[in-house]
Amino acid sequence: MSTAQQTTIDLVPEVRCSNCWHTFRPEEALYIASHEDLIGDPRLVDPKERRRFLPTRFRPDGAAVDERGRECRDLACPNCHLLVPRVLLERRPTLFLSIFGRPAAGKSYALTSMMRQLKRVMPQRFGLGFTEPHPPSNLLVQGFENSLFNHPDPDAMVDIPRTASSGTGARLWYQAVKSGNDEILYPRPMYFQVAPLPHHPHGAEAARYARTLCLYDNAGEDFTAGRNDSPNSPVTQHMDLSTGLFFV
C-alpha cells in the first residue's frame, strides 16, 4: 500500500456544525488564521478571535496558508464562524448527547465524574479507548476534573463553579456570534471519541468502528418554565438533534 493510500481520510458528504447545527459540504469549511496579527473576525463577538477565511494556498501536507504565510489547520463553520473540530469531517458516526436538569441539580459534577470514569473503565473492561479528539474544546471539564479528583489534599472540600447562563461568566459555557446588531449565543460543545484498542476483537478496524461524541452542558436556568429559546439564544435546540438525553 502506498503512503498516499495509508494517509487518505474518507470525508463525510455533509458536515453538521456542532455549534449552530448548520450543514455544509467539507470543501466549504473555513480555516482559522494562525498569524497573531490576523484577529477580529467580523462574525464573532470576541475581538481576539482569529479571522476565518476560505484558503487558496496549501502546503504539500494539506495545511492551508493564511495571508501572512502561516500554516493553518483549525477549521470553522461557514455559517457561524465558530470552530468545528476536524474529526467531525471524517466519515464516522457522530453522536450528539445532551445533559439537562433543574438549576443546582449537579449536571457538571455528573459530567465530570462520567468523563473521569469512562477514561479508566472503557479500556480496562471493554477494550475501548475513550479520548478527547480536540482537547482545547474540553478545557472547562478538564479543569473540573482537576479540581475534583487531583486536589493536593484528598480530604479537602472542593466544588466547581455553577454554570452561568448570563453575564461575563456565561462566556465560558456559551459562544457569541454577531447577527446584524444582535448577538446570538450558542452552547459550547465538548468532544470525545470512542474507538477499539489493539486488543479489542475489532482492534484492526478501529477507524471503521470509531465514534465521535459531541456533548452539551447547559445552565439549569435554560430548562426552567418560561425560559424558552429565542432566535438570539437558541441554547437548548441541541436537545432536538441529540441521539441521547441525560436527565439529572
Side-chain angles (χ1 to χ4, degrees):
M1 181 181 294
S2 68
T3 302
Q5 289 175 315
Q6 291 175 348
T7 57
T8 297
I9 297 176
D10 196 13
L11 300 179
V12 296
E14 191 174 67
V15 185
R16 180 176 292 280
C17 175
S18 51
N19 304 289
C20 69
W21 312 291
H22 171 74
T23 56
F24 59 94
R25 297 191 303 274
E27 63 268 23
E28 296 175 326
L30 302 180
Y31 277 76
I32 301 177
S34 295
H35 197 279
E36 56 273 10
D37 291 341
L38 300 177
I39 59 173
D41 187 86
R43 286 295 319 272
L44 303 179
V45 172
D46 187 350
K48 297 180 181 179
E49 282 282 356
R50 304 288 171 90
R51 297 176 196 168
R52 277 53 168 163
F53 68 101
L54 195 62
T56 57
R57 296 184 297 159
F58 294 87
R59 294 186 182 274
D61 62 358
V65 179
D66 64 27
E67 61 183 76
R68 295 295 180 91
R70 293 278 183 87
E71 70 173 48
C72 311
R73 297 186 181 275
D74 286 337
L75 304 174
C77 170
N79 179 56
C80 67
H81 285 207
L82 294 172
L83 182 141
V84 175
R86 191 173 289 267
V87 69
L88 294 188
L89 277 69
E90 299 176 9
R91 189 182 287 275
R92 66 187 61 180
T94 298
L95 305 179
F96 293 90
L97 305 171
S98 301
I99 294 181
F100 68 103
R102 66 180 298 276
K107 296 182 296 302
S108 296
Y109 286 92
L111 169 62
T112 305
S113 300
M114 284 193 298
M115 186 186 78
R116 171 83 170 187
Q117 286 299 99
L118 287 170
K119 286 180 180 178
R120 302 170 63 183
V121 172
M122 295 291 273
Q124 297 174 357
R125 299 188 181 182
F126 301 99
L128 297 171
F130 188 82
T131 58
E132 299 175 69
H134 191 261
S137 294
N138 296 5
L139 287 178
L140 263 178
V141 74
Q142 290 166 3
F144 294 166
E145 183 181 10
N146 285 330
S147 296
L148 293 179
F149 299 103
N150 299 325
H151 196 279
D153 181 0
D155 297 320
M157 297 290 289
V158 298
D159 61 4
I160 56 180
R162 65 185 295 272
T163 307
S165 59
S166 60
T168 56
R171 295 300 164 86
L172 296 174
W173 282 268
Y174 302 90
Q175 304 173 93
V177 175
K178 296 178 183 177
S179 178
N181 295 324
D182 298 320
E183 295 181 7
I184 301 178
L185 287 180
Y186 295 110
R188 191 181 297 275
M190 293 164 276
Y191 306 96
F192 304 94
Q193 188 164 281
V194 180
L197 295 174
H199 62 279
H200 188 278
H202 294 295
E205 301 177 280
R208 176 183 175 187
Y209 290 98
R211 299 291 184 269
T212 300
L213 309 180
C214 178
L215 193 144
Y216 303 89
D217 176 27
N218 285 69
E221 287 78 6
D222 291 339
F223 306 108
T224 55
R227 187 72 173 268
N228 295 324
D229 277 353
S230 68
N232 291 344
S233 186
V235 292
T236 62
Q237 288 184 7
H238 55 82
M239 296 174 64
D240 185 45
L241 298 171
S242 290
T243 308
L245 301 174
F246 295 93
F247 175 68
V248 181

